[in-house]
Amino acid sequence: MYDVIVLGATFAAAGIAQQHKEKCLVIERRAQAGYEFFAALDFTVAETEIYAHFKNCHTLFCTELVSVQKNSDGFACVTHGVQGFCTYYAKNVIDTRCNTETSISKTYNLLIDSKEKPVFLNCRCEKAKGENRYIVYCPVPLSCGYAEARAAAQDIIGQFSETQRLILSAYEFDYHIKEGYPKTRDGILLLPSKAYKNPKLAFEAGQRIVEEAGK
């Protein structure tokens, strides 16, 4: 039995893993960690060294969470992955995932090259690392899927001047989390990593949750 099972290989999860090490299991349906910032192109802080903390715990990538059930000893988490259906047990479960349930809004982000600060209707633009690089934050409805988001992004791209070009489109939505986290629901601690401004703060929040629980 693990001390804790963490849902989502986020930067908050890395902070939890750094504290619990081999007594921690992280379950992630994607193939990579840190998606909530880097895949969403919200990389305001480059904290790639945080990934190293996942090496000290047990991590299941490309694994779907089927169910979480509370029992007399803690929780039983059923997963489905390359090994088929498996059940893992832990004293506690912490959910660090970012999704529409925990969010008030979301954006679909673009990294562009522009010789001047870009201005697009209803979009926020911020300077990114690198010369002439900007992040364009395109608001989309919470119910919006990737097909609709890419169509909306094409409308923005259609407004580009001759000195602007697309470098990269996000492959994850950038979620903006509701207030009031962390909180507990059905015995599970909810700690959405994107409730924090950057990867470093999310990592520290994960560390702090473990330290406070131990007091």
Side-chain angles (χ1 to χ4, degrees):
M1 176 181 284
Y2 292 97
D3 278 353
V4 62
I5 289 177
V6 183
L7 309 181
T10 64
F11 280 91
I16 298 167
Q18 189 268 343
Q19 298 288 77
H20 281 286
K21 297 183 171 57
E22 73 279 357
K23 295 180 181 180
C24 172
L25 172 67
V26 177
I27 300 171
E28 174 56 66
R29 67 177 180 82
R30 298 166 182 80
Q32 80 284 352
Y35 69 91
E36 78 279 21
F37 285 99
F38 291 153
L41 301 187
D42 190 17
F43 34 68
T44 52
V45 178
E47 298 287 351
T48 53
E49 70 273 11
I50 290 176
Y51 289 157
H53 296 295
F54 286 111
K55 296 179 181 179
N56 298 322
C57 69
H58 299 274
T59 308
L60 297 173
F61 287 104
C62 302
T63 301
E64 292 285 349
L65 179 70
V66 177
S67 67
V68 179
Q69 296 182 343
K70 191 168 178 54
N71 56 37
S72 59
D73 297 322
F75 294 87
C77 294
V78 179
T79 65
H80 184 261
V82 294
Q83 297 180 345
F85 288 97
C86 297
T87 302
Y88 300 92
Y89 299 92
K91 299 174 185 176
N92 300 287
V93 172
I94 303 177
D95 191 347
T96 69
R97 296 173 297 179
C98 311
N99 50 45
T100 57
E101 183 180 346
T102 59
S103 305
I104 56 172
S105 64
K106 67 182 182 181
T107 59
Y108 185 70
N109 301 342
L110 307 173
L111 175 63
I112 73 169
D113 182 275
S114 179
K115 291 186 178 179
E116 66 282 336
K117 183 173 181 178
V119 178
F120 302 111
L121 186 64
N122 298 325
C123 292
R124 177 169 58 92
C125 301
E126 291 187 2
K127 187 74 174 66
K129 287 191 175 182
E131 186 178 0
N132 299 331
R133 291 194 169 195
Y134 293 86
I135 300 293
V136 181
Y137 299 86
C138 309
V140 294
L142 281 173
S143 59
C144 181
Y146 287 107
E148 299 98 320
R150 292 187 180 104
Q154 284 299 321
D155 291 339
I156 300 299
I157 294 169
Q159 301 176 40
F160 281 10
S161 69
E162 293 182 355
T163 63
Q164 295 172 334
R165 68 181 181 89
L166 177 68
I167 299 173
L168 187 64
S169 299
Y171 51 98
E172 292 283 348
F173 288 112
D174 187 3
Y175 289 101
H176 309 284
I177 305 300
K178 300 173 184 176
E179 295 183 355
Y181 290 98
K183 65 181 180 182
T184 302
R185 186 181 64 197
D186 298 328
I188 298 172
L189 180 63
L190 305 180
L191 180 71
S193 185
K194 206 58 176 59
Y196 302 90
K197 188 175 181 180
N198 60 53
K200 185 173 185 293
L201 291 177
F203 175 77
E204 291 172 348
Q207 288 181 307
R208 190 164 56 250
I209 280 292
V210 178
E211 291 170 352
E212 290 174 354
K215 291 180 180 178

